[in-house]
Amino acid sequence: MKTYDLVGIGNAVVDVISQSDDAFLDNMGIEKGIMQLIEQDQAELLYGAMENRVQTPGGSVANTIAGAGALGLQTAFIGRVKDDGLGRFYAKAMTDLGIDFVNDPVADGEAPTSRSMIFVSPDGERSMNTYLGISTGLSSADVPKEVTGNAKLMFLEGYLFDHDAGKSAFREAARATRAAGGKAGIAISDPFCVDRHRADFLSLIEHDLDFVIGNEAEIQSLFQNDHLDDALMLTAGICPLVVCTRSGDGVSIMEGTSRTDVPVDKITPVDATGAGDQFAAGFLYGMATGRDLETCARMGNVCAREVIGHIGPRPEVSVADLMKAEGLL
């Protein structure tokens, strides 16, 4: 039976990118420079209007899995796509990257494959229009125990916690991984996810998880505490490992009552999209290969620095080479 260094569960979203001018955005009722959720009819309208489309497999945890896989980990991704053009593209693209895409496209899916239509203006602004589609319907039926029970690390995407079926799937996946001796953790994803489900979020972290990764706003949202030091201590009281990214202020790690702060070199980002996803890729690579926590954070920082240096949420050069240059590999 195959074993994995890292398995992720998250939204399977196709990123569809196109160039556009401001007149097009106005015409289509797109608010420039923000991410907005849209319904199926608007998604189909915008997709049909895009010229010279560039499609890539996306989703927050999927991006993390891809980054970790590029560093050499044995990886798998659990997510839902429909058996349509975009769904087949997504499944093949992940497989082509060497990631085991666990779920076959759903033939009788209740909604089309999820997609985020990203319009890039001449000034570099990215206007994102996301249709959540079939991916949010993930349930325990989509999470095979022969995968979750054979993972060294299990990584969950907080966005999917918005749905009751997702909550159950997360608990079962985490318990299967831990029962087999692995560790399970979550990317908090968004403070608003926590606001909507705080009690369930905290219960999952306390009873079923070994680590949490989030930014300052996300960590503070867990206990509604505006003081980061207090929020870190409170979270560390219910979870063995807490990792907090702080943009240019570095990374703070709590393991029990022990705190480690790891600085970063401040740079001006070209595009901050994917910074947290790729930090997690480097950090989890370090965990899976037995590095100490400071080294894990430094690896995460290398990955984040690479991805904010260009447009797009995944690395464009060998991050392993960058790590070697810093003496991390």
Side-chain angles (χ1 to χ4, degrees):
M1 188 174 293
K2 188 168 184 177
T3 59
Y4 297 96
D5 298 310
L6 176 64
V7 174
I9 303 179
N11 282 311
V13 183
V14 178
D15 289 333
V16 189
I17 305 170
S18 176
Q19 303 284 331
S20 65
D21 57 23
D22 289 355
F24 175 87
L25 298 181
D26 289 341
N27 244 7
M28 303 302 290
I30 298 170
E31 191 168 346
K32 185 176 178 179
I34 69 164
M35 193 284 282
Q36 57 187 0
L37 296 178
I38 58 174
E39 298 298 328
Q40 181 178 343
D41 56 350
Q42 180 72 354
E44 292 172 351
L45 175 67
L46 292 181
Y47 185 78
M50 299 179 90
E51 297 182 353
N52 301 315
R53 296 185 293 249
V54 176
Q55 297 179 171
T56 60
S60 175
V61 163
N63 288 335
T64 295
I65 298 302
L71 284 165
L73 295 188
Q74 291 292 318
T75 59
F77 181 71
I78 296 169
R80 284 170 63 84
V81 297
K82 187 175 181 177
D83 189 9
D84 54 19
L86 283 178
R88 291 187 291 273
F89 162 79
Y90 191 98
K92 182 178 185 302
M94 294 292 276
T95 302
D96 287 348
L97 290 170
I99 301 163
D100 280 4
F101 188 70
V102 172
N103 309 84
D104 291 332
V106 181
D108 56 350
E110 66 279 3
T113 296
S114 310
R115 80 273 321 250
S116 180
M117 282 145 295
I118 304 167
F119 297 91
V120 182
S121 309
D123 59 4
E125 285 276 12
R126 293 159 63 88
S127 306
M128 303 173 68
N129 301 264
T130 302
Y131 168 61
L132 293 177
I134 195 173
S135 67
T136 59
L138 185 135
S139 70
S140 299
D142 302 299
V143 183
K145 288 187 178 178
E146 62 268 24
V147 175
T148 58
N150 284 284
K152 182 182 292 186
L153 295 173
M154 170 64 59
F155 195 46
L156 311 172
E157 182 175 316
Y159 286 123
L160 280 178
F161 207 67
D162 258 337
H163 306 272
D164 287 340
K167 293 176 185 178
S168 297
F170 276 12
R171 291 190 186 95
E172 291 178 21
R175 289 170 185 173
T177 296
R178 297 179 85 197
K183 292 184 177 181
I186 195 167
I188 297 177
S189 297
D190 191 321
F192 296 111
C193 290
V194 179
D195 290 342
R196 290 189 289 269
H197 309 279
R198 182 167 286 103
D200 286 341
F201 234 108
L202 291 174
S203 177
L204 177 76
I205 291 170
E206 181 174 7
H207 299 294
D208 297 303
L209 299 184
D210 302 286
F211 62 93
V212 170
I213 299 178
N215 62 29
E216 288 182 79
E218 292 161 358
I219 296 296
Q220 289 171 339
S221 70
L222 289 171
F223 287 94
Q224 297 177 281
N225 195 309
D226 292 335
H227 300 284
L228 180 61
D229 291 350
D230 293 342
L232 285 169
M233 288 293 292
L234 289 166
T235 309
I238 64 169
C239 189
L241 178 63
V242 183
V243 183
C244 179
T245 57
R246 304 170 60 198
S247 299
D249 292 325
V251 181
S252 295
I253 304 168
M254 293 292 300
E255 187 179 29
T257 58
S258 175
R259 175 167 171 169
T260 303
D261 292 303
V262 182
V264 295
D265 296 324
K266 291 186 179 183
I267 65 171
T268 300
V270 174
D271 177 9
T273 306
D277 303 340
Q278 294 309 319
F279 170 84
F283 192 94
L284 294 174
Y285 172 80
M287 284 183 67
T289 53
R291 267 65 173 195
D292 63 81
L293 294 176
E294 180 177 350
T295 300
C296 291
R298 291 177 61 198
M299 288 178 159
N301 288 341
V302 170
C303 294
R305 184 172 67 238
E306 191 283 335
V307 83
I308 66 174
H310 57 77
I311 292 175
R314 295 188 179 183
E316 292 185 343
V317 302
S318 169
V319 178
D321 288 345
L322 298 177
M323 289 186 182
K324 287 175 185 175
E326 296 206 8
L328 296 172
L329 286 180

